[in-house]
Amino acid sequence: QPRSRGLGDVYKRQPDRTVAAKVANYFVEEYINFNNRVRIEESLKAVDDLDVRARQQEKKVEELAIELQGYQERNNLVSLDERQDIVTDRLKTVGMRHTQVSTELNEIEVRWNQLQLRNDNILEIADLPFVATDPHIASLKQQISAENIAIAELQERYRAKHPRMIEAKQKLTQTQTELSGAVRGVVNQLASQYDAVKQNLAQAEADLAAQEIDSLALSRASVEYNARERELNLNKACLLYTSPSPRDRG
């Protein structure tokens, strides 16, 4: 095999020392230039590769930004924080309304059950606190008491068929009839309230369920949005690192 020749061979093969030195310097210079060209070419290739990756990363960032904007518009998340506040306030309001109606229904059910236990006995119903406090019923009950006292006093002086006894008893009967009608009016009013509150509760439950669904959907959309936003920001940060600097391009 042929032996590689170095600068020493140049000196041996060239008797003229001056020429040999020039030839040796030429080889050294070419060797240095060759290595410089290799390094420059490698650096340029690295910059080109970095530039390609930067353009790819920039394109990915643009695509992610467009996707995020589209997701915002499809899910009405353009003002996410504001919508979250609105949904939270609505949920709170609907929840309070549901609690209020439920409490109202419980109170009416207690009164309604008390009515059912009296088996339509007018006098017993009239003595229930929520009935007895009615101004008209309270007045009629006082009037009946006064008329009973008057009849008791008349009985000491007159027989049952005496005109004044008949008149007093007729007046008592009339007042008792008015009391019966007033009590039934309170009962009918409570029945109407009972039906209305049950309907209100059904509506409140439906509103609460719908609002809870809306709140849950927004929460899920928010999680997806935040994940997409983090991915976009991460890729933006990567873009800063992959983009070649002006010094590298030069």
Short mmCIF file of all heavy atoms in Angstrom, two decimals, residues 140-198:
data_model
loop_
_atom_site.label_atom_id
_atom_site.label_comp_id
_atom_site.label_asym_id
_atom_site.label_seq_id
_atom_site.Cartn_x
_atom_site.Cartn_y
_atom_site.Cartn_z
N LEU A 140 -116.61 37.33 62.17
CA LEU A 140 -117.80 36.49 62.18
C LEU A 140 -117.86 35.62 63.43
O LEU A 140 -118.94 35.40 64.01
CB LEU A 140 -117.84 35.62 60.92
CG LEU A 140 -118.12 36.37 59.60
CD1 LEU A 140 -117.94 35.43 58.42
CD2 LEU A 140 -119.52 36.97 59.60
N LYS A 141 -116.71 35.10 63.86
CA LYS A 141 -116.68 34.27 65.07
C LYS A 141 -117.06 35.10 66.30
O LYS A 141 -117.79 34.62 67.17
CB LYS A 141 -115.29 33.66 65.24
CG LYS A 141 -114.97 32.57 64.21
CD LYS A 141 -113.56 32.04 64.35
CE LYS A 141 -113.40 31.27 65.64
NZ LYS A 141 -112.06 30.67 65.77
N GLN A 142 -116.60 36.32 66.37
CA GLN A 142 -116.98 37.19 67.48
C GLN A 142 -118.48 37.50 67.44
O GLN A 142 -119.16 37.53 68.47
CB GLN A 142 -116.17 38.50 67.42
CG GLN A 142 -114.70 38.33 67.76
CD GLN A 142 -113.93 39.62 67.61
OE1 GLN A 142 -114.48 40.65 67.19
NE2 GLN A 142 -112.65 39.57 67.96
N GLN A 143 -118.97 37.68 66.21
CA GLN A 143 -120.40 37.97 66.05
C GLN A 143 -121.24 36.77 66.48
O GLN A 143 -122.28 36.92 67.15
CB GLN A 143 -120.69 38.34 64.60
CG GLN A 143 -122.12 38.81 64.34
CD GLN A 143 -122.31 39.28 62.91
OE1 GLN A 143 -121.34 39.60 62.22
NE2 GLN A 143 -123.57 39.30 62.47
N ILE A 144 -120.83 35.57 66.14
CA ILE A 144 -121.55 34.36 66.55
C ILE A 144 -121.54 34.21 68.06
O ILE A 144 -122.56 33.85 68.68
CB ILE A 144 -120.94 33.12 65.87
CG1 ILE A 144 -121.27 33.12 64.37
CG2 ILE A 144 -121.43 31.83 66.50
CD1 ILE A 144 -120.57 32.03 63.58
N SER A 145 -120.41 34.49 68.68
CA SER A 145 -120.35 34.42 70.14
C SER A 145 -121.32 35.41 70.78
O SER A 145 -122.04 35.06 71.74
CB SER A 145 -118.92 34.71 70.61
OG SER A 145 -118.02 33.73 70.13
N ALA A 146 -121.37 36.61 70.25
CA ALA A 146 -122.28 37.62 70.78
C ALA A 146 -123.74 37.21 70.58
O ALA A 146 -124.60 37.40 71.47
CB ALA A 146 -122.00 38.96 70.12
N GLU A 147 -124.04 36.63 69.41
CA GLU A 147 -125.42 36.21 69.13
C GLU A 147 -125.82 35.03 70.01
O GLU A 147 -126.99 34.92 70.44
CB GLU A 147 -125.55 35.86 67.65
CG GLU A 147 -125.46 37.10 66.76
CD GLU A 147 -125.40 36.77 65.28
OE1 GLU A 147 -125.34 35.55 64.95
OE2 GLU A 147 -125.41 37.69 64.45
N ASN A 148 -124.90 34.13 70.30
CA ASN A 148 -125.20 33.01 71.21
C ASN A 148 -125.50 33.54 72.62
O ASN A 148 -126.41 33.05 73.31
CB ASN A 148 -124.03 32.04 71.25
CG ASN A 148 -124.02 31.08 70.05
OD1 ASN A 148 -125.09 30.66 69.59
ND2 ASN A 148 -122.85 30.75 69.57
N ILE A 149 -124.75 34.53 73.05
CA ILE A 149 -125.01 35.14 74.36
C ILE A 149 -126.38 35.82 74.38
O ILE A 149 -127.15 35.68 75.36
CB ILE A 149 -123.90 36.15 74.70
CG1 ILE A 149 -122.57 35.42 74.91
CG2 ILE A 149 -124.26 36.95 75.96
CD1 ILE A 149 -121.38 36.33 75.08
N ALA A 150 -126.70 36.49 73.29
CA ALA A 150 -128.00 37.17 73.21
C ALA A 150 -129.15 36.17 73.25
O ALA A 150 -130.18 36.39 73.92
CB ALA A 150 -128.06 38.01 71.93
N ILE A 151 -129.00 35.04 72.54
CA ILE A 151 -130.04 34.01 72.54
C ILE A 151 -130.19 33.42 73.93
O ILE A 151 -131.31 33.16 74.41
CB ILE A 151 -129.70 32.92 71.51
CG1 ILE A 151 -129.84 33.47 70.08
CG2 ILE A 151 -130.58 31.70 71.68
CD1 ILE A 151 -129.40 32.52 68.98
N ALA A 152 -129.05 33.20 74.62
CA ALA A 152 -129.12 32.65 75.98
C ALA A 152 -129.88 33.60 76.90
O ALA A 152 -130.67 33.17 77.76
CB ALA A 152 -127.72 32.40 76.49
N GLU A 153 -129.66 34.89 76.72
CA GLU A 153 -130.38 35.86 77.55
C GLU A 153 -131.87 35.89 77.20
O GLU A 153 -132.74 36.02 78.09
CB GLU A 153 -129.76 37.25 77.36
CG GLU A 153 -128.35 37.36 77.94
CD GLU A 153 -127.72 38.71 77.64
OE1 GLU A 153 -128.33 39.49 76.86
OE2 GLU A 153 -126.62 38.99 78.17
N LEU A 154 -132.19 35.77 75.90
CA LEU A 154 -133.60 35.79 75.47
C LEU A 154 -134.33 34.54 75.96
O LEU A 154 -135.55 34.58 76.23
CB LEU A 154 -133.69 35.90 73.95
CG LEU A 154 -133.29 37.26 73.35
CD1 LEU A 154 -133.27 37.19 71.82
CD2 LEU A 154 -134.26 38.36 73.80
N GLN A 155 -133.62 33.43 76.03
CA GLN A 155 -134.26 32.19 76.47
C GLN A 155 -134.76 32.29 77.92
O GLN A 155 -135.66 31.54 78.32
CB GLN A 155 -133.27 31.01 76.35
CG GLN A 155 -133.07 30.56 74.91
CD GLN A 155 -132.03 29.47 74.79
OE1 GLN A 155 -131.24 29.25 75.71
NE2 GLN A 155 -132.06 28.76 73.67
N GLU A 156 -134.16 33.16 78.67
CA GLU A 156 -134.61 33.33 80.05
C GLU A 156 -135.95 34.11 80.11
O GLU A 156 -136.64 34.04 81.12
CB GLU A 156 -133.54 34.10 80.84
CG GLU A 156 -132.24 33.33 81.00
CD GLU A 156 -131.21 34.12 81.76
OE1 GLU A 156 -131.52 35.29 82.12
OE2 GLU A 156 -130.10 33.60 81.97
N ARG A 157 -136.30 34.78 79.03
CA ARG A 157 -137.51 35.61 79.05
C ARG A 157 -138.60 35.11 78.09
O ARG A 157 -139.78 35.34 78.30
CB ARG A 157 -137.14 37.04 78.69
CG ARG A 157 -136.15 37.68 79.66
CD ARG A 157 -135.65 39.01 79.16
NE ARG A 157 -136.75 39.94 78.93
CZ ARG A 157 -136.61 41.14 78.37
NH1 ARG A 157 -135.40 41.54 77.97
NH2 ARG A 157 -137.66 41.92 78.21
N TYR A 158 -138.16 34.44 76.99
CA TYR A 158 -139.14 34.06 75.97
C TYR A 158 -139.02 32.57 75.65
O TYR A 158 -138.00 31.93 75.86
CB TYR A 158 -138.91 34.86 74.68
CG TYR A 158 -138.91 36.36 74.88
CD1 TYR A 158 -137.71 37.08 74.84
CD2 TYR A 158 -140.11 37.04 75.08
CE1 TYR A 158 -137.72 38.45 75.02
CE2 TYR A 158 -140.12 38.42 75.26
CZ TYR A 158 -138.91 39.11 75.24
OH TYR A 158 -138.92 40.48 75.42
N ARG A 159 -140.16 32.07 75.11
CA ARG A 159 -140.19 30.70 74.62
C ARG A 159 -139.55 30.65 73.23
O ARG A 159 -139.31 31.67 72.60
CB ARG A 159 -141.62 30.17 74.59
CG ARG A 159 -142.25 30.05 75.99
CD ARG A 159 -143.67 29.52 75.89
NE ARG A 159 -144.27 29.42 77.21
CZ ARG A 159 -144.13 28.41 78.02
NH1 ARG A 159 -143.39 27.37 77.63
NH2 ARG A 159 -144.72 28.40 79.23
N ALA A 160 -139.37 29.40 72.77
CA ALA A 160 -138.67 29.20 71.51
C ALA A 160 -139.40 29.81 70.33
O ALA A 160 -138.77 30.26 69.36
CB ALA A 160 -138.44 27.72 71.27
N LYS A 161 -140.72 29.85 70.34
CA LYS A 161 -141.47 30.35 69.19
C LYS A 161 -141.75 31.85 69.27
O LYS A 161 -142.48 32.38 68.43
CB LYS A 161 -142.76 29.57 69.05
CG LYS A 161 -142.53 28.10 68.69
CD LYS A 161 -143.84 27.38 68.43
CE LYS A 161 -143.61 25.92 68.05
NZ LYS A 161 -144.88 25.20 67.79
N HIS A 162 -141.22 32.49 70.26
CA HIS A 162 -141.44 33.93 70.35
C HIS A 162 -140.72 34.61 69.18
O HIS A 162 -139.61 34.22 68.79
CB HIS A 162 -140.90 34.44 71.70
CG HIS A 162 -141.30 35.84 71.98
ND1 HIS A 162 -140.64 36.93 71.49
CD2 HIS A 162 -142.34 36.35 72.73
CE1 HIS A 162 -141.19 38.04 71.89
NE2 HIS A 162 -142.26 37.70 72.67
N PRO A 163 -141.37 35.66 68.62
CA PRO A 163 -140.79 36.34 67.46
C PRO A 163 -139.34 36.81 67.69
O PRO A 163 -138.50 36.71 66.78
CB PRO A 163 -141.73 37.52 67.25
CG PRO A 163 -143.02 37.04 67.78
CD PRO A 163 -142.69 36.18 68.97
N ARG A 164 -139.03 37.30 68.85
CA ARG A 164 -137.67 37.77 69.10
C ARG A 164 -136.69 36.59 69.16
O ARG A 164 -135.54 36.72 68.71
CB ARG A 164 -137.63 38.55 70.42
CG ARG A 164 -138.44 39.88 70.35
CD ARG A 164 -138.15 40.77 71.53
NE ARG A 164 -136.76 41.18 71.53
CZ ARG A 164 -136.22 41.98 72.47
NH1 ARG A 164 -136.99 42.42 73.48
NH2 ARG A 164 -134.95 42.31 72.41
N MET A 165 -137.16 35.44 69.69
CA MET A 165 -136.30 34.24 69.70
C MET A 165 -136.07 33.75 68.28
O MET A 165 -134.95 33.39 67.89
CB MET A 165 -136.93 33.15 70.54
CG MET A 165 -136.83 33.38 72.05
SD MET A 165 -135.12 33.26 72.62
CE MET A 165 -134.74 31.56 72.23
N ILE A 166 -137.14 33.74 67.50
CA ILE A 166 -137.03 33.29 66.11
C ILE A 166 -136.08 34.20 65.33
O ILE A 166 -135.22 33.74 64.57
CB ILE A 166 -138.43 33.24 65.45
CG1 ILE A 166 -139.29 32.16 66.14
CG2 ILE A 166 -138.30 32.98 63.96
CD1 ILE A 166 -140.73 32.14 65.66
N GLU A 167 -136.24 35.48 65.54
CA GLU A 167 -135.39 36.45 64.82
C GLU A 167 -133.92 36.28 65.23
O GLU A 167 -133.02 36.32 64.36
CB GLU A 167 -135.86 37.86 65.15
CG GLU A 167 -135.04 38.94 64.46
CD GLU A 167 -135.47 40.34 64.87
OE1 GLU A 167 -136.38 40.49 65.69
OE2 GLU A 167 -134.85 41.30 64.35
N ALA A 168 -133.67 36.09 66.52
CA ALA A 168 -132.29 35.94 66.98
C ALA A 168 -131.64 34.67 66.42
O ALA A 168 -130.47 34.68 66.01
CB ALA A 168 -132.26 35.91 68.51
N LYS A 169 -132.43 33.59 66.39
CA LYS A 169 -131.88 32.33 65.86
C LYS A 169 -131.65 32.42 64.35
O LYS A 169 -130.68 31.84 63.83
CB LYS A 169 -132.82 31.17 66.19
CG LYS A 169 -132.83 30.81 67.68
CD LYS A 169 -133.73 29.64 67.97
CE LYS A 169 -133.70 29.24 69.43
NZ LYS A 169 -134.57 28.09 69.73
N GLN A 170 -132.53 33.10 63.65
CA GLN A 170 -132.35 33.29 62.20
C GLN A 170 -131.07 34.10 61.92
O GLN A 170 -130.32 33.82 60.99
CB GLN A 170 -133.57 33.98 61.61
CG GLN A 170 -134.80 33.10 61.52
CD GLN A 170 -136.02 33.86 60.99
OE1 GLN A 170 -136.02 35.09 60.94
NE2 GLN A 170 -137.04 33.11 60.59
N LYS A 171 -130.88 35.11 62.76
CA LYS A 171 -129.67 35.93 62.61
C LYS A 171 -128.42 35.10 62.87
O LYS A 171 -127.41 35.22 62.14
CB LYS A 171 -129.74 37.10 63.58
CG LYS A 171 -128.62 38.12 63.39
CD LYS A 171 -128.82 39.30 64.34
CE LYS A 171 -127.70 40.31 64.14
NZ LYS A 171 -127.84 41.48 65.04
N LEU A 172 -128.47 34.22 63.89
CA LEU A 172 -127.33 33.35 64.19
C LEU A 172 -127.06 32.39 63.03
O LEU A 172 -125.91 32.18 62.63
CB LEU A 172 -127.61 32.57 65.47
CG LEU A 172 -126.56 31.51 65.85
CD1 LEU A 172 -125.20 32.16 66.07
CD2 LEU A 172 -127.00 30.71 67.08
N THR A 173 -128.17 31.82 62.49
CA THR A 173 -128.02 30.90 61.36
C THR A 173 -127.38 31.60 60.17
O THR A 173 -126.52 31.04 59.48
CB THR A 173 -129.39 30.31 60.96
OG1 THR A 173 -129.95 29.61 62.08
CG2 THR A 173 -129.25 29.36 59.79
N GLN A 174 -127.81 32.81 59.92
CA GLN A 174 -127.26 33.58 58.79
C GLN A 174 -125.76 33.85 59.01
O GLN A 174 -124.96 33.71 58.07
CB GLN A 174 -128.02 34.90 58.66
CG GLN A 174 -127.53 35.74 57.48
CD GLN A 174 -128.31 37.04 57.35
OE1 GLN A 174 -129.30 37.26 58.07
NE2 GLN A 174 -127.89 37.89 56.43
N THR A 175 -125.40 34.21 60.23
CA THR A 175 -123.98 34.48 60.51
C THR A 175 -123.16 33.20 60.38
O THR A 175 -122.03 33.22 59.86
CB THR A 175 -123.83 35.06 61.93
OG1 THR A 175 -124.67 36.23 62.06
CG2 THR A 175 -122.39 35.46 62.19
N GLN A 176 -123.72 32.09 60.86
CA GLN A 176 -123.00 30.81 60.72
C GLN A 176 -122.83 30.42 59.25
O GLN A 176 -121.79 29.88 58.86
CB GLN A 176 -123.77 29.72 61.47
CG GLN A 176 -123.71 29.87 62.98
CD GLN A 176 -124.61 28.86 63.69
OE1 GLN A 176 -125.59 28.35 63.12
NE2 GLN A 176 -124.29 28.56 64.96
N THR A 177 -123.84 30.73 58.44
CA THR A 177 -123.73 30.46 57.00
C THR A 177 -122.63 31.32 56.38
O THR A 177 -121.85 30.85 55.54
CB THR A 177 -125.08 30.73 56.31
OG1 THR A 177 -126.09 29.90 56.89
CG2 THR A 177 -124.98 30.45 54.82
N GLU A 178 -122.57 32.58 56.80
CA GLU A 178 -121.51 33.46 56.29
C GLU A 178 -120.13 32.95 56.71
O GLU A 178 -119.17 32.99 55.93
CB GLU A 178 -121.72 34.88 56.83
CG GLU A 178 -122.94 35.59 56.24
CD GLU A 178 -123.08 37.01 56.76
OE1 GLU A 178 -122.08 37.54 57.30
OE2 GLU A 178 -124.16 37.59 56.64
N LEU A 179 -120.07 32.46 57.96
CA LEU A 179 -118.79 31.92 58.43
C LEU A 179 -118.39 30.70 57.62
O LEU A 179 -117.22 30.55 57.24
CB LEU A 179 -118.90 31.55 59.91
CG LEU A 179 -117.64 30.89 60.52
CD1 LEU A 179 -116.46 31.85 60.47
CD2 LEU A 179 -117.90 30.42 61.95
N SER A 180 -119.35 29.83 57.34
CA SER A 180 -119.06 28.64 56.54
C SER A 180 -118.54 29.05 55.16
O SER A 180 -117.56 28.47 54.65
CB SER A 180 -120.32 27.78 56.41
OG SER A 180 -120.06 26.65 55.60
N GLY A 181 -119.17 30.03 54.54
CA GLY A 181 -118.73 30.48 53.22
C GLY A 181 -117.35 31.10 53.27
O GLY A 181 -116.51 30.88 52.36
N ALA A 182 -117.08 31.88 54.35
CA ALA A 182 -115.77 32.51 54.48
C ALA A 182 -114.68 31.46 54.67
O ALA A 182 -113.59 31.55 54.09
CB ALA A 182 -115.77 33.48 55.64
N VAL A 183 -114.98 30.44 55.48
CA VAL A 183 -114.01 29.37 55.71
C VAL A 183 -113.74 28.60 54.43
O VAL A 183 -112.58 28.30 54.09
CB VAL A 183 -114.50 28.42 56.82
CG1 VAL A 183 -113.64 27.16 56.90
CG2 VAL A 183 -114.51 29.14 58.17
N ARG A 184 -114.80 28.30 53.69
CA ARG A 184 -114.60 27.58 52.42
C ARG A 184 -113.81 28.45 51.44
O ARG A 184 -113.03 27.92 50.63
CB ARG A 184 -115.95 27.20 51.83
CG ARG A 184 -116.69 26.16 52.67
CD ARG A 184 -117.92 25.63 51.94
NE ARG A 184 -118.65 24.70 52.80
CZ ARG A 184 -118.30 23.43 53.00
NH1 ARG A 184 -117.21 22.95 52.40
NH2 ARG A 184 -119.02 22.66 53.80
N GLY A 185 -114.00 29.75 51.53
CA GLY A 185 -113.21 30.64 50.66
C GLY A 185 -111.72 30.56 50.98
O GLY A 185 -110.87 30.52 50.07
N VAL A 186 -111.40 30.52 52.27
CA VAL A 186 -109.99 30.38 52.68
C VAL A 186 -109.44 29.03 52.23
O VAL A 186 -108.30 28.93 51.74
CB VAL A 186 -109.86 30.55 54.20
CG1 VAL A 186 -108.44 30.20 54.66
CG2 VAL A 186 -110.22 31.97 54.63
N VAL A 187 -110.27 27.97 52.38
CA VAL A 187 -109.84 26.63 51.96
C VAL A 187 -109.59 26.59 50.46
O VAL A 187 -108.57 26.05 50.00
CB VAL A 187 -110.89 25.58 52.36
CG1 VAL A 187 -110.55 24.22 51.74
CG2 VAL A 187 -110.99 25.46 53.88
N ASN A 188 -110.51 27.17 49.68
CA ASN A 188 -110.34 27.19 48.22
C ASN A 188 -109.11 28.01 47.82
O ASN A 188 -108.38 27.64 46.88
CB ASN A 188 -111.59 27.76 47.56
CG ASN A 188 -112.80 26.85 47.72
OD1 ASN A 188 -112.66 25.63 47.90
ND2 ASN A 188 -114.00 27.42 47.66
N GLN A 189 -108.89 29.09 48.53
CA GLN A 189 -107.72 29.92 48.24
C GLN A 189 -106.43 29.15 48.52
O GLN A 189 -105.48 29.21 47.74
CB GLN A 189 -107.76 31.19 49.09
CG GLN A 189 -106.60 32.14 48.82
CD GLN A 189 -106.68 33.40 49.66
OE1 GLN A 189 -107.53 33.51 50.54
NE2 GLN A 189 -105.78 34.33 49.41
N LEU A 190 -106.42 28.40 49.62
CA LEU A 190 -105.24 27.59 49.95
C LEU A 190 -105.03 26.49 48.92
O LEU A 190 -103.89 26.19 48.53
CB LEU A 190 -105.39 26.98 51.34
CG LEU A 190 -104.19 26.18 51.85
CD1 LEU A 190 -102.97 27.08 52.00
CD2 LEU A 190 -104.50 25.50 53.18
N ALA A 191 -106.13 25.90 48.45
CA ALA A 191 -106.03 24.86 47.43
C ALA A 191 -105.43 25.42 46.14
O ALA A 191 -104.58 24.78 45.50
CB ALA A 191 -107.40 24.25 47.15
N SER A 192 -105.86 26.63 45.77
CA SER A 192 -105.32 27.27 44.57
C SER A 192 -103.84 27.58 44.75
O SER A 192 -103.01 27.37 43.84
CB SER A 192 -106.09 28.56 44.26
OG SER A 192 -107.45 28.28 44.00
N GLN A 193 -103.48 28.07 45.94
CA GLN A 193 -102.07 28.35 46.23
C GLN A 193 -101.24 27.07 46.19
O GLN A 193 -100.11 27.07 45.67
CB GLN A 193 -101.94 29.00 47.60
CG GLN A 193 -102.48 30.43 47.67
CD GLN A 193 -102.38 31.00 49.07
OE1 GLN A 193 -102.10 30.29 50.04
NE2 GLN A 193 -102.61 32.30 49.20
N TYR A 194 -101.82 26.00 46.72
CA TYR A 194 -101.12 24.72 46.74
C TYR A 194 -100.80 24.26 45.32
O TYR A 194 -99.66 23.86 45.01
CB TYR A 194 -101.98 23.70 47.47
CG TYR A 194 -101.31 22.38 47.78
CD1 TYR A 194 -99.93 22.27 47.89
CD2 TYR A 194 -102.06 21.22 47.99
CE1 TYR A 194 -99.31 21.08 48.20
CE2 TYR A 194 -101.45 20.01 48.28
CZ TYR A 194 -100.08 19.96 48.39
OH TYR A 194 -99.47 18.76 48.69
N ASP A 195 -101.79 24.32 44.44
CA ASP A 195 -101.58 23.91 43.04
C ASP A 195 -100.56 24.83 42.35
O ASP A 195 -99.69 24.36 41.60
CB ASP A 195 -102.90 23.94 42.28
CG ASP A 195 -103.85 22.84 42.73
OD1 ASP A 195 -103.38 21.84 43.30
OD2 ASP A 195 -105.08 23.00 42.53
N ALA A 196 -100.69 26.14 42.61
CA ALA A 196 -99.79 27.09 41.96
C ALA A 196 -98.34 26.88 42.41
O ALA A 196 -97.41 26.90 41.58
CB ALA A 196 -100.23 28.52 42.27
N VAL A 197 -98.14 26.65 43.71
CA VAL A 197 -96.79 26.47 44.22
C VAL A 197 -96.19 25.16 43.70
O VAL A 197 -94.98 25.09 43.41
CB VAL A 197 -96.79 26.51 45.76
CG1 VAL A 197 -95.41 26.14 46.31
CG2 VAL A 197 -97.17 27.89 46.25
N LYS A 198 -97.01 24.13 43.56
CA LYS A 198 -96.49 22.87 43.00
C LYS A 198 -96.04 23.07 41.55
O LYS A 198 -95.01 22.52 41.14
CB LYS A 198 -97.57 21.78 43.08
CG LYS A 198 -97.77 21.23 44.49
CD LYS A 198 -98.62 19.97 44.51
CE LYS A 198 -100.06 20.26 44.19
NZ LYS A 198 -100.92 19.06 44.35
#
